[in-house]
């Protein structure tokens, strides 16, 4: 069961603050938490210092990988789901304050940018220090490499039903034929529809979902064995093989390398 994400301040509307950049830190307790679908005028960078966060936006599912942040442009509807015991930072940026993408994307977070976000979250928006830190952050953020690790989700109703079912239960191992029957399509028709709407075959699309869930759970402290079982793999070896084929490294080395070098590239 997901609990509402608790904000540190009551009746706080980020759009009322005119500072170029402000940051809010939210600590999640033992239970998963969710910010329901909403939007705001400011752009938002979602960054997790611990645990994992998944962002839903129209047309896609984005996870916040370790040492990266997900950028959501202002005006875009979205929701955020955090794992238990996550430490999350939301950075809100005035439109036009920095040269940032006009689409949702994953950005690397340098050690300098990470420290700026942490410091910014500790000062009030009216503080002169907040303005100083915000301007350095806005100069640094556009320099961050864009990474790609997201799950395309079509607005087509039948595909959205399948996507939501598999996202809610990643261990669901129904075949393409079984899922096609579930939405009253033939297997070949569903296969063509998935490619048309997402650009991926069904097998690659489901693998991408598993990678998103796996990275989120591993980042929150789950073991490889636990994640493998939660995703319905017959063995840990099968899961590691899938992970290594997709991202070039086994899970432990992949996450370890990211921790040492926050500029590492993600292979989508």
């Amino acid at each position: 069961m997901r609990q509402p994400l608790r904000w540190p301040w009551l009746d706080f509307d980020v759009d009322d603050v005119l500072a170029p950049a402000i940051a809010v830190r939210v600590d999640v307790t033992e239970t998963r938490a969710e910010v329901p679908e909403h939007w705001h005028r400011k752009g938002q960078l979602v960054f997790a210092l611990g645990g994992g966060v998944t962002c839903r936006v129209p047309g896609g599912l984005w996870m916040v990988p370790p040492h990266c942040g997900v950028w959501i442009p202002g005006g875009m509807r979205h929701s955020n789901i955090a794992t238990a015991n996550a430490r999350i930072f939301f950075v809100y940026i005035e439109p036009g304050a920095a040269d940032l993408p006009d689409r949702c994307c994953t950005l690397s977070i340098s050690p300098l940018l990470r420290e700026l976000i942490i410091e910014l979250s500790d000062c009030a928006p009216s503080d002169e220090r907040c303005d100083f830190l915000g301007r350095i952050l806005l100069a640094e953020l556009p320099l961050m490499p864009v990474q790609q690790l997201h799950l395309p989700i079509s607005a087509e109703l039948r595909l959205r039903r399948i996507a939501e079912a598999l996202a809610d239960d990643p261990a669901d191992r129904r075949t393409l034929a079984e899922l096609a029957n579930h939405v009253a399509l033939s297997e070949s028709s569903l296969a063509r529809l998935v490619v048309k709407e997402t650009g991926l075959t069904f097998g690659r699309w489901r693998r991408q979902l598993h990678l998103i869930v796996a990275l989120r759970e591993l980042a929150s402290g789950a073991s490889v064995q636990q994640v493998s079982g939660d995703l319905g793999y017959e063995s840990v070896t099968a899961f590691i093989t899938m992970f290594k084929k997709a991202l070039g490294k086994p899970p432990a080395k992949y996450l370890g390398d990211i921790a040492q070098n926050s500029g590492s590239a993600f292979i989508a």
Side-chain angles (χ1 to χ4, degrees):
M1 181 177 180
R2 294 172 184 151
Q3 301 294 328
L5 203 59
R6 297 184 180 277
W7 294 89
W9 304 306
L10 297 176
D11 301 321
F12 177 74
D13 188 341
V14 295
D15 282 341
D16 290 340
V17 181
L18 297 180
I22 60 173
V24 178
R25 172 179 167 175
V26 179
D27 291 324
V28 181
T29 56
E30 293 80 9
T31 308
R32 290 192 180 198
E34 179 175 8
V35 179
E37 187 176 272
H38 65 289
W39 69 276
H40 27 76
R41 179 177 58 81
K42 292 176 181 283
Q44 180 184 49
L45 180 74
V46 184
F47 170 63
L49 195 59
V53 187
T54 302
C55 305
R56 287 181 185 269
V57 300
L61 186 70
W62 297 78
M63 64 87 61
V64 182
H67 301 278
C68 287
V70 169
W71 167 247
I72 304 171
M76 179 177 288
R77 299 197 67 84
H78 61 280
S79 62
N80 301 310
I81 301 171
T83 61
N85 301 314
R87 296 176 62 198
I88 310 166
F89 295 83
F90 297 114
V91 182
Y92 298 97
I93 297 175
E94 276 288 312
D99 185 17
L100 293 167
D102 60 0
R103 58 186 174 85
C104 195
C105 63
T106 303
L107 299 173
S108 293
I109 301 295
S110 67
L112 170 60
L113 194 54
R114 179 190 65 217
E115 295 304 317
L116 285 169
I117 292 171
I118 293 171
E119 287 294 317
L120 191 61
S121 71
D122 286 336
C123 62
S126 58
D127 192 330
E128 290 185 4
R129 182 164 158 265
C130 176
D131 182 70
F132 173 73
L133 292 170
R135 293 188 184 281
I136 300 175
L137 182 148
L138 292 175
E140 178 78 1
L141 187 57
L143 304 178
M144 295 297 99
V146 174
Q147 313 295 351
Q148 295 292 336
L149 187 59
H150 81 289
L151 184 74
I153 298 179
S154 169
E156 206 280 335
L157 291 178
R158 290 165 295 186
L159 286 190
R160 182 165 287 275
R161 283 175 59 194
I162 292 173
E164 290 177 351
L166 296 182
D168 289 339
D169 181 16
D172 186 340
R173 285 293 180 170
R174 280 180 291 177
T175 64
L176 181 62
E178 290 170 331
L179 289 168
N181 183 62
H182 181 66
V183 294
L185 285 174
S186 68
E187 181 177 359
S188 58
S189 294
L190 178 58
R192 288 194 296 270
L193 188 62
V194 172
V195 173
K196 177 185 175 183
E197 295 290 328
T198 71
L200 302 173
T201 64
F202 177 74
R204 285 192 62 197
W205 185 88
R206 176 141 66 180
R207 186 189 72 179
Q208 192 79 344
L209 171 64
H210 284 174
L211 287 171
I212 288 172
V213 173
L215 282 170
R216 183 189 66 196
E217 298 303 313
L218 290 167
S220 68
S223 67
V224 172
Q225 291 80 0
Q226 181 181 341
V227 173
S228 172
D230 289 346
L231 293 179
Y233 283 83
E234 295 182 356
S235 68
V236 174
T237 300
F239 167 70
I240 292 175
T241 299
M242 180 280 295
F243 193 102
K244 186 175 180 180
K245 182 178 180 180
L247 297 178
K249 303 172 185 176
K253 181 167 178 52
Y254 182 81
L255 293 174
D257 287 351
I258 291 175
Q260 293 177 9
N261 181 8
S262 60
S264 296
F266 287 83
I267 304 171

